[in-house]
């Protein structure tokens, strides 16, 4: 439920914001997906996340030429490693928190999303969270929280789904 996983869920949401597209402004931090698209490595890229009471899923989806898949996957893994190190620029963390809060507000203001969340909370037997609680949880996320979630993500085996030729794909056999 919300109470059990508030910190993990908020940190997962903020972490995922490092992978979501942002508008490029002079001197402002950009997301990995914006940088991948700008570099030509990927024609399009966007981040996504799903938060649960005790875990979360963060991913990047995009369009790239077969020969660029390995480089894109390595760039994504390198970003996770950077974030797991805890050396997160305060401006980038603030931007990720703001992006996460905007996504939360959008999600929680939609009737269908709110009804689904209320139903999930009722089945789980927990009190529903208010938008203010969600925003407070996002504001409370620290660089250390983001690093912990990124580190947990690195501990799991990566997954790669592809449509198209697979001969140039990187291998992640352990």
């Amino acid at each position: 439920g919300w109470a059990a996983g508030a910190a993990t869920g908020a940190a997962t949401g903020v972490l995922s914001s490092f992978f979501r597209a942002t508008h490029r402004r002079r001197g402002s931090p950009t997301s990995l997906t914006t940088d991948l698209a700008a570099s030509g490595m990927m024609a399009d890229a966007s981040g996504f996340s799903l938060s649960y009471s005790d875990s979360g899923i963060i991913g990047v989806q995009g369009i790239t030429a077969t020969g660029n898949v390995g480089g894109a996957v390595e760039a994504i893994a390198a970003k996770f490693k950077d974030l797991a190190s805890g050396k997160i620029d305060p401006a980038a963390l603030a931007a990720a928190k703001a992006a996460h809060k905007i996504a939360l507000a959008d999600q929680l203001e939609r009737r269908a999303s709110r009804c689904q969340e209320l139903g999930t909370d009722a089945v789980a037997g927990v009190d529903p969270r208010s938008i203010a609680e969600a925003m407070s949880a996002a504001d409370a996320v620290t660089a250390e929280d983001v690093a912990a979630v990124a580190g947990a993500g690195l501990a799991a085996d990566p997954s790669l789904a592809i449509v198209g030729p697979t001969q140039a794909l990187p291998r992640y056999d352990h």
Side-chain angles (χ1 to χ4, degrees):
W2 168 245
T8 301
T12 300
V14 171
L15 173 62
S16 72
S17 293
F18 281 95
F19 295 93
R20 288 198 178 101
T22 59
H23 295 288
R24 207 178 267 278
R25 285 184 231 150
R26 180 187 282 192
S28 69
T30 61
S31 73
L32 173 71
T33 53
T34 303
D35 293 342
L36 284 172
S39 73
M41 189 174 295
M42 296 185 83
D44 183 37
S46 61
F48 65 90
S49 69
L50 300 169
S51 294
Y52 301 98
S53 63
D54 60 349
S55 65
I57 298 170
I58 297 172
V60 176
Q61 60 190 14
I63 301 168
T64 188
T66 303
N68 291 343
V69 172
V73 169
E74 292 305 320
I76 293 164
K79 182 67 171 182
F80 264 97
K81 289 176 185 173
D82 284 347
L83 293 169
S85 76
K87 297 175 186 167
I88 299 171
D89 177 61
L93 179 61
K97 284 181 177 184
H100 176 57
K101 288 169 62 175
I102 290 168
L104 272 175
D106 181 55
Q107 176 188 0
L108 294 175
E109 288 290 331
R110 293 179 193 209
R111 181 178 292 171
S113 296
R114 191 69 179 149
C115 287
Q116 181 179 354
E117 182 152 333
L118 289 170
T120 301
D121 290 342
V123 169
V126 298
D127 292 332
R129 67 178 170 166
S130 68
I131 293 173
E133 289 171 313
M135 297 300 157
S136 292
D139 285 333
V141 172
T142 65
E144 292 79 19
D145 297 332
V146 172
V149 173
L154 287 171
D157 289 334
S159 297
L160 179 64
I162 187 166
V163 175
T166 60
Q167 55 273 41
L169 294 178
R171 301 285 181 213
Y172 295 101
D173 301 326
H174 292 274

